[in-house]
Amino acid sequence: MKRLIACAAALAMLAAPGAWAQNFDDPEEFAKQREQLAMTPMGPEGMPWEQYLEDTMADTAQHAKEGPYTVCFSNAGVNNPWRVVGWNNMQAEVELHPEIAELVHVDAEGSDDKQIADISDLLAGGNCDILIVSPNTTAALTPAVERACEQLPVIVFDRGVNTDCPVTFIHPVGGYGFGIQGAEFVAENVEAGANVLMLRILPGVDVLETRYSAGRRIFEEAGINIAGAEFTDGDNAKTKSIVEDYIARGQIDAVWMDAGATAVAAIEAFEDSGLEVPVFVGEDQQDFLQKWQELGLTAIAPTYPTYQWRTPIIAAVRILEGEEVPGPEWVLPQPAITADNLDQYINEGMPPLHYAMCGCEEMPGYPERWGGR
Amino acid sequence: MSDAMLATRRSRIRFETIAPAVILLGAVAIYIGVVIASGQARYLSLENLVGVFNRSIALAITAIGQTFVILVASIDLSVAALISASAVLASVVMGGEPAMIVPAIAAVLVLGAIVGLANGLVVTKLEVNPLIATLGMALIIQGCLSAFVSNFAGSVPKDFQFFAYGIAFGLPVSLIFIGLLALLSWFVLRFTRFGANIYSVGGNREAARFAGIKTARVVIAAHVISSLCAATAGLYLASRLGSGAPWIGRDGMYDLESIAVVVIGGTVLAGGRGGIWGTIAGVLIFALIDSLFNIVGVDAFAKQVLRGVIIIAAVGFYAVRSQRMAA
Amino acid sequence: MSSETQDLNAVRARRRLPRINPIWFVLAALIVAIIVYNPNFVQPVGYMNFLKRAAPLAILAAGQIYVIVSGGFDLSVGSTITLTVIGSSMLLNNNPDATWWVILLMYAMGLAIGLTNGLVVSILKVPSLIATLGMMITLSGLALMWSGGAPRGYLPESFRYFGRANITDLPLINILPISLIVLAVVVCLLWWLMHRTNYGRLVHAVGDNPRAAVLAGVPLMRVRVSAFVISSLTAVTAGILLGGFAGVSTDVGRGFELQAITAAVLGGAQLLGGRGSVSATIAGALTLTAIFTLLNFVGLPQPVREVVQGLILISAVAYAMYRRRHAVH
């Protein structure tokens, strides 16, 4: 009883103010990203990690400095395969730049509190010429990044911060774009009124919430019936179980996922039930791409490219040399893998959760550094 | 009989103050050695050492509370969830308004007291194993919290960030707060009747009951203290992060880490032996290790392995030593 | 019939009635509820899928109960599952010929983990909660170090057979998942060991009163260590089934340690030792899986599931304690 009262009291207090929820369904941002997907990128052909979609430049003359440079990097963590691939990209990119003497790397292991401490340690150490931050969360890291900006040039990538003090914020088109690419493909390949199952990892993660809201918006516009939206925790066994349950209850014409790490488990649920695999939205993980080719699926793989981990190093060197870089936002192109270019991304020597859109094939140490053969 | 008990009690107390100190000294020695060997002597400045401890404020607050529960032979796994809930509650109630700071703090402390009371009652009156009771409580709190918030919610006013970032008398406010909290806890445990009761209840609950101590009240009070500390840690994190999110307690692993720190500090899981200074030493050991890993650049996965081994080794060292002393 | 025998019969009946562990009634009620929500559940595919999903947890819980009855906890099983899946995929890397020796190697690894846990607890006298917590952190770190943070390598079908394949076209039940056969074999073995051998009595004795057990000549250390070994070996088995069911990922085992303990508690096991039964623990594992399945069908969001799980956990233990108190008096 006490527990109930405690619970109720806490909830009552929480529910009172009510207006704090972040907006993950912003029609303006949706429209902007939809536009960006269609743009032709500027910059060198075939090197998307150096390309950019918005044509504003940040002046960096004030940061020009003699080399060699010490680049410091505060990483939110390498707690998922996407970040592992990205971190390998970044280390390989550093090897391409002799003007970088050292990359000082601190890993916050997914904790905001620790990342704030890490950044202040890096600043106190006083060795850094430039600071790269991949924030664990946007809101919590903003003050720490602001303090860092007062001392040295800062580059932020992947998730953003609520301040424009960094020299540039590097990111691909974004979550809405990811959601749009997958959902539009589904809408083109099924009839109106078809049943789509939406599989999500976790609630509350900004980059994932926007993917979902964009997907949902497009399905609703196209008159596609959302049979269900379920959280899988990124867990293979749970994903397979959920899909099996949906199969048992009725027809599924398409599966949309906000991230593809468990895509193969979802496909296997159809295989093991002896059913045809429906229209499928995955991501650029090797295991999904190989399964797609093997079964000849009608599928698409939107990407949140890991090559964006190369760009901060490129930007760091340019900034310290006083060259201009795209800023205050460096928007990278965000291509999707389709049936037309599937072949060029498949490499059976790479591990199952290697992200094919890594832009790393020509880099030092490929493929061993990424766990391949 | 009572003389003999007193004697063993005294020798145990001495050993308990020594063992964590020995481990701490070892950690400090390794730290200094590594820092000098890697030619990064600048990490030895006082400022940096303050910074090292400053990493672990939330853990320290939580662990001080956890010490009380473990001393009465209970345990509190609900602290991580409560930290998240408190941080969110604080930042939502404040909503950026300086005027709401006091009501928010009050609300958080009330929440802490209620949770602690519930934990204590379930453990004592329903006789549920404390591990299960507080684990269940953790699930309930986390569930209630996640049902309403899924991201950072609300914000704390600039004034409130003084708790985490302010400087007074040349020291971080948070550090002074920890010092005072530790002193207060030490005083309570060492010099008050309540403190003595905690040791008696933890040492032998039946004997304490026969001696006329209301054991249930002592256990409930320990749980309330633990929850109040966790709620305070939530306030600290809200102040530090500028807002609260439903995952900050869980991601910080404050439940398991606070237990590990208390045990490394020489407080015995079976209750009745240990104290606050051991816990503070335990927190310092963790903070030093953390900082050392950063300096040397150990990768995140190796860090985890080392942490696991260190927990076992430290507790093993302590347990084996104390066995020999007792024998 | 005389009134005396009537009384005796009544006493007997009263005594016999509570002997059926109430968890079976709970399980039955939950299954009825599932059938109401999803009539397909009575089809072989429905309940076989359910049992297939429950198999890893049931096996794991049946191992955990040995440690619990002997007076400890084993928190390292989740990480052992992860290490098994990651290790197998790294060593196999789609090479079916290596399946058997990799499985053997994984059991050897499980043996080593269990021995280490047991020896740390019984020689270093580290409380099992801390010892296995340290082991949990160490093992998941090792799994990440070994794989570099993301799965490497694929599991061939020969390995996945145990967790994924079904025997089809059977009369009556239509399909029979291989994992269910594994479950049956493991459970029978563990049930027999716990309830029909001298060893099982020793495990109970050690957990009930270690001092008395030592005085009675029970080899305390050997019994404790072997309980941890059994738990680790079941974790390897659960890992093989889970890897087979759903493939490789770096967090397959996450949360399984608490689920296994919950299952044991639901089955009426007494924490800190002395009491527990393998069959009731299996019922506990099935109940837990049934609860999750039901909440899924009802369509409750994840947070509500957590609250429900928390309430069930506390009430199960509170109820058991209540029964125990009233049984004594």
Side-chain angles (χ1 to χ4, degrees), chain A residues 2-3 5-7 9-11 13-15 17-18 20-22 24 78-79 84 104-114 116-118 120-121 124-127 136-141 143-144 146-147 203-206 209, chain B residues 40 42-43 47-48 51-52 55 58 88-89 92-93 107 111 114-115 117-118 121-122 126 137 140 144-145 148-154 158 161 165 236-237 240-241 243 247-248 251-252 254 290-291 294 297 300-301 303-304 307:
Chain A
K2 280 269 165 24
R3 287 192 304 278
I5 295 169
C7 209
L11 294 182
M13 281 185 270
L14 280 174
W20 64 79
Q22 262 172 279
F24 295 122
V78 280
N79 39 19
V84 171
V104 180
H105 166 243
V106 282
D107 185 319
E109 297 172 73
S111 154
D112 293 328
D113 186 31
K114 192 162 181 310
I116 292 173
D118 284 344
S120 73
D121 276 4
N127 274 359
N136 190 50
T137 60
T138 299
L141 269 299
E146 277 172 340
R147 270 191 301 282
V205 182
D206 38 10
E209 288 286 348
Chain B
Q40 309 194 62
R42 69 198 145 78
Y43 280 105
E47 193 189 357
N48 189 64
V52 168
R55 296 182 89 88
V88 169
L89 183 61
V92 166
V93 172
L111 173 70
I114 293 174
V115 170
L117 201 62
L121 286 172
V122 172
L126 299 182
M137 180 54 101
I140 294 169
C144 288
L145 184 60
F148 283 83
V149 228
S150 59
N151 207 315
F152 278 98
K158 210 86 195 160
Q161 296 208 305
Y165 293 105
Y236 168 79
L237 282 177
R240 186 160 163 89
L241 305 180
S243 180
W247 59 74
I248 55 178
D251 282 3
Y254 291 108
D290 225 33
S291 176
N294 265 358
F301 309 138
K303 254 187 232 181
Q304 213 180 330
R307 239 179 245 151

Side-chain angles (χ1 to χ4, degrees), chain B residues 12-264:
Chain B
R12 271 174 193 159
I13 285 173
R14 207 182 316 138
F15 178 68
E16 274 147 22
T17 40
I18 290 170
V22 169
I23 302 178
L24 178 58
L25 275 180
V28 171
I30 295 172
Y31 181 81
I32 295 176
V34 169
V35 163
I36 290 175
S38 61
Q40 309 194 62
R42 69 198 145 78
Y43 280 105
L44 287 179
S45 68
L46 183 67
E47 193 189 357
N48 189 64
L49 290 180
V50 168
V52 168
F53 196 46
N54 221 359
R55 296 182 89 88
S56 309
I57 299 290
L59 179 60
I61 302 175
T62 318
I64 287 175
Q66 189 75 255
T67 310
F68 280 83
V69 238
I70 294 185
L71 278 176
V72 295
S74 192
I75 204 162
D76 192 349
L77 286 178
S78 68
V79 286
L82 181 56
I83 286 174
S84 303
S86 308
V88 169
L89 183 61
S91 81
V92 166
V93 172
M94 284 182 204
E97 293 292 326
M100 292 302 285
I101 291 180
V102 175
I105 293 175
V108 165
L109 292 180
V110 167
L111 173 70
I114 293 174
V115 170
L117 201 62
N119 279 337
L121 286 172
V122 172
V123 169
T124 55
K125 301 299 176 194
L126 299 182
E127 293 180 44
V128 174
N129 180 297
L131 203 70
I132 297 294
T134 55
L135 176 65
M137 180 54 101
L139 288 168
I140 294 169
I141 298 174
Q142 192 69 47
C144 288
L145 184 60
S146 313
F148 283 83
V149 228
S150 59
N151 207 315
F152 278 98
S155 67
V156 305
K158 210 86 195 160
D159 301 344
F160 187 65
Q161 296 208 305
F162 185 70
F163 184 19
Y165 293 105
I167 304 275
F169 314 111
L171 279 174
V173 173
S174 49
L175 214 54
I176 297 174
F177 179 79
I178 284 291
L180 291 177
L181 189 65
L183 270 176
L184 178 69
S185 309
W186 173 72
F187 180 82
V188 166
L189 284 176
R190 191 83 175 77
F191 296 110
T192 66
R193 169 149 293 268
F194 173 63
N197 286 350
I198 281 192
Y199 282 99
S200 322
V201 170
N204 188 335
R205 195 164 297 185
E206 286 310 308
R209 188 172 295 140
F210 282 127
I213 298 172
K214 293 204 168 64
T215 54
R217 280 197 200 168
V218 177
V219 173
I220 293 172
H223 271 285
V224 170
I225 291 174
S226 169
S227 293
L228 285 176
C229 284
T232 312
L235 284 173
Y236 168 79
L237 282 177
S239 160
R240 186 160 163 89
L241 305 180
S243 180
W247 59 74
I248 55 178
R250 194 184 49 209
D251 282 3
M253 296 247 301
Y254 291 108
D255 39 6
L256 297 181
E257 287 212 347
S258 67
I259 294 169
V261 157
V262 170
V263 177
I264 285 176

